[in-house]
Amino acid sequence: MLTVRAPATSANLGSGFDVFGVALGTPADVVRVERAPETRISITGAGSQYIPEDPKQNTVGAVADALDAPAHIKIDKGVRPSSGLGSSAASAAAAAVALNALYDRGLSREELVPIAAEGEALVSGEAHADNVAPSLLGGFTVVTDDDVTQVDAQIPVVACLPEQSVSTRDARGVVPDSATLEDVVDTVGNASTLTVGMTRNDPELVGRGMNDAIVTPRRTALIDGYDDVREAALEAGATGVTVSGAGPGILAVCHQQDQREIAGAMVDAFEDIGIDCRAYQTHVGEGARLYRD
Ligand SMILES: Nc1ncnc2c1ncn2[C@@H]1O[C@H](COP(=O)(O)OP(=O)(O)O)[C@@H](O)[C@H]1O
Ligand SMILES: N[C@@H](CCOP(=O)(O)O)C(=O)O
């Protein structure tokens, strides 16, 4: 039996749609695997009642298929599905690391990225790798069609998860087909600023580089209370706030000393409109970790 803990992630960071992602210190999924003639899945934990155990519909089943590695797979969900915190990706990344080791496939973490992304294709319609890459590699990742670049960053964040669900598949449906040159130029500038901020561990630059006028405005409309929560977080000292992944999670970047106040402000702002939420006071963290029992 092998066990892997794979972290939640926050994709896009505003200006890096389908490109940027960060691993979060908490929450995480824990996946246990043992060899079996055919794949069987059992699920416990956060939101497990909404996740299919059929391997043809579960991200870990797609990974087992891609690695030709049938197994009994037990998933303990720390990351609620349809969260914007890479729930489906955390399971897929954990399964990729676990099954790669269980069957001695010898693939590197980078080589596991497209395999874990097969799970994302299953649930969201496209094999976007911006959640599985940071869950596998940790830190801040930049994915392109055929490559992934990673940097270890130490940035404090608050990931606020309201009691609402937004499916990534639905949220991809509102993404515009085209953008003006002016918006593209702005976005390139912001994305570049954010990347420099990650390499310098500078929350000011990262926060400033999160603005995006192309995808994010379409998605905020799907999240009840988004504008109020964003405003509250900025007033409490956040250096930048945006939709986490496809939502409804909201990500605030900050300095360590402001983290607690920002988390409280975001929770209060959601509560003011009658929505419960959980705020993870965490940081950009490590990737999937393998334990041999
Ligand atoms: N192992 C898994 N973990 C979480 N969700 C899964 C898993 N396998 C399949 N799903 C399905 O994926 C969808 C959630 O994924 P998605 O919409 O991308 O949200 P998230 O942002 O939380 O990853 C749900 O329909 C869920 O049933
Ligand atoms: N780039 C994807 C990221 C989806 O992240 P998730 O955590 O909501 O699954 C997108 O924006 O569609």
Side-chain angles (χ1 to χ4, degrees):
M1 168 104 55
L2 289 176
T3 304
V4 175
R5 175 194 187 275
T9 51
S10 183
N12 302 332
L13 302 166
S15 57
F17 176 68
D18 275 358
V19 174
F20 292 164
V22 285
L24 301 177
T26 53
D29 279 8
V30 174
V31 164
R32 293 186 175 82
V33 295
E34 73 191 323
R35 283 190 190 228
E38 57 186 44
T39 296
R40 206 175 68 210
I41 299 167
S42 60
I43 314 171
T44 53
S48 50
Q49 66 274 31
Y50 303 114
I51 304 173
E53 293 189 338
D54 176 359
K56 295 266 171 273
Q57 296 179 56
N58 195 300
T59 56
V60 304
V63 172
D65 264 5
L67 283 171
D68 190 19
H72 287 167
I73 305 176
K74 292 184 182 166
I75 309 173
D76 188 11
K77 295 294 299 177
V79 193
R80 195 199 78 193
S82 304
S83 60
L85 299 181
S87 174
S88 49
S91 294
V97 172
L99 296 172
N100 182 46
L102 188 70
Y103 278 87
D104 292 321
R105 294 284 184 254
L107 298 176
S108 68
R109 293 289 174 107
E110 284 79 3
E111 287 169 330
L112 290 176
V113 169
I115 286 165
E118 290 296 318
E120 295 292 71
L122 183 76
V123 297
S124 76
E126 277 168 272
H128 64 88
D130 51 346
N131 291 107
V132 292
S135 194
L136 284 163
L137 301 170
F140 167 64
T141 54
V142 176
V143 295
T144 56
D145 273 350
D146 52 6
D147 203 13
V148 54
T149 310
Q150 186 271 1
V151 57
D152 287 326
Q154 269 109 43
I155 301 281
V157 300
V158 177
C160 193
L161 182 53
E163 285 297 327
Q164 313 173 36
S165 281
V166 172
S167 107
T168 304
R169 191 181 278 270
D170 293 347
R172 292 185 81 78
V174 304
V175 173
D177 290 333
S178 59
T180 63
L181 182 61
E182 189 185 351
D183 282 346
V184 171
V185 170
D186 272 355
T187 304
V188 171
N190 290 334
S192 307
T193 303
L194 186 150
T195 305
V196 173
M198 287 289 182
T199 61
R200 290 188 189 164
N201 288 320
D202 181 340
E204 295 291 335
L205 283 183
V206 171
R208 203 190 309 155
M210 282 162 67
N211 289 330
D212 151 57
I214 301 173
V215 177
T216 310
R218 303 290 185 101
R219 269 139 169 224
T220 58
L222 305 176
I223 306 171
D224 295 333
Y226 177 84
D227 289 337
D228 294 342
V229 172
R230 180 173 189 274
E231 203 49 48
L234 290 172
E235 266 176 31
T239 58
V241 180
T242 193
V243 177
S244 180
I250 300 178
L251 185 79
V253 169
C254 59
H255 294 281
Q256 189 64 56
Q257 68 269 20
D258 300 324
Q259 194 178 48
R260 183 194 288 248
E261 197 164 332
I262 292 164
M266 294 173 88
V267 171
D268 288 350
F270 267 127
E271 277 179 359
D272 283 350
I273 55 164
I275 296 174
D276 283 339
C277 85
R278 172 151 191 196
Y280 295 95
Q281 297 179 49
T282 186
H283 50 83
V284 177
E286 67 170 17
R289 184 181 279 240
L290 172 70
Y291 301 89
R292 289 176 193 275
D293 297 345

